[in-house]
Amino acid sequence: MILYGTRFGATQGIAQEIQKGIQENGIETEIYDLKEHPSKNLPSSLKGHDGIIIGTGIKMSFWTKSVKKYVKKHGAELKQKQDKLGFFVCCGMANKKEEIGPAIEKYIATRLDKSGLKPALIDAFGGVYDLSDTSLMSGMNKKIISGILKDEEGWENVENKTYDFRDWDQIRNFTQKFVSLIKNS
Ligand SMILES: Cc1cc2nc3c(=O)[nH]c(=O)nc-3n(C[C@H](O)[C@H](O)[C@H](O)COP(=O)(O)O)c2cc1C
């Protein structure tokens, strides 16, 4: 079962790619956007699932509310399944290869440490800055991001462009590792 939280759609794309990869290995998967599926509409128990993947986008250092809520509510059950649990974040910090390790530490390890949850597989994937007309970002968020790209990265004419930093090889590699976990159970 794949569960994810997204604000602008980038994590959804990753979750769907992971689903595709798992299914190509002949394993059935269910996928849920946690915002659209309140817990009453989700399978009430994790028992029927051989493995679980949870993914969240990051904004202002925070997971999405729906993922935070889910992990809090199902912490004990997830802990029992943590050897078959994958957890990933999709964030701007991981756009740079050398920042992937620190992003895992900052957005996953230190947060889960508090609950004692240790997923078998964790990763941080780069994100998307969609500054186009069809973007799900508000005008305000677009302004913040274009300011950062100009001031911190020195990029010019960023308006109306889309920057996609998701590394599909990294995502497929994560998927294969997860499939191995499931198959070796
Ligand atoms: C307003 C805003 C704040 C953000 N804050 C962070 C942040 O604190 N750390 C980070 O690594 N990335 C940050 N990002 C980048 C997002 O994590 C990235 O755009 C990602 O693709 C979002 O995933 P989603 O579309 O699934 O929500 C931010 C993006 C926006 C628009």
Side-chain angles (χ1 to χ4, degrees):
M1 177 161 72
I2 303 169
L3 307 166
Y4 66 90
T6 185
R7 297 181 180 91
F8 315 112
T11 306
Q12 181 177 46
I14 295 172
Q16 287 169 341
E17 181 67 21
I18 292 173
Q19 179 185 31
K20 195 170 133 235
I22 296 175
Q23 283 177 338
E24 279 167 6
N25 281 272
I27 301 168
E28 245 179 77
T29 65
E30 291 167 26
I31 184 166
Y32 298 101
D33 178 336
L34 283 177
K35 198 174 172 192
E36 285 174 12
H37 292 85
S39 43
K40 62 176 171 27
N41 297 342
L42 289 172
S44 59
S45 164
L46 302 180
K47 283 204 185 88
H49 298 88
D50 295 326
I52 295 151
I53 292 183
I54 301 176
T56 180
I58 298 289
K59 183 181 161 199
M60 303 293 183
S61 292
F62 290 109
W63 295 0
T64 67
K65 273 192 202 133
S66 62
V67 168
K68 191 177 168 194
K69 216 166 132 188
Y70 185 89
V71 171
K72 198 170 173 200
K73 190 168 176 201
H74 297 271
E77 227 182 329
L78 288 169
K79 208 167 171 180
Q80 286 184 349
K81 283 244 168 200
Q82 64 184 5
D83 56 333
K84 303 280 181 259
L85 174 65
F87 195 101
F88 73 87
V89 289
C90 168
C91 63
M93 191 173 169
N95 291 351
K96 296 191 171 110
K97 295 279 160 279
E98 67 276 16
E99 291 294 315
I100 291 174
I104 292 173
E105 192 57 32
K106 181 173 180 187
Y107 296 131
I108 306 177
T110 43
R111 310 247 163 123
L112 289 180
D113 269 358
K114 287 178 200 147
S115 59
L117 196 59
K118 287 200 188 317
L121 202 57
I122 51 179
D123 215 341
F125 304 122
V128 178
Y129 295 137
D130 182 1
L131 305 172
S132 72
D133 286 347
T134 54
S135 172
L136 296 174
M137 272 192 216
S138 65
M140 165 85 130
N141 283 336
K142 277 193 201 170
K143 257 195 186 156
I144 295 171
I145 295 300
S146 34
I148 291 173
L149 296 180
K150 283 179 185 170
D151 298 342
E152 290 182 12
E153 306 290 344
W155 297 359
E156 288 168 15
N157 305 319
V158 297
E159 284 79 14
N160 299 318
K161 292 198 182 124
T162 299
Y163 300 92
D164 189 343
F165 294 93
R166 291 170 296 182
D167 179 341
W168 299 105
D169 285 339
Q170 184 196 0
I171 292 160
R172 283 189 277 267
N173 191 28
F174 174 89
T175 308
Q176 280 315 312
K177 282 189 191 155
F178 186 75
V179 167
S180 302
L181 267 184
I182 301 299
K183 286 199 165 163
N184 294 331
S185 55

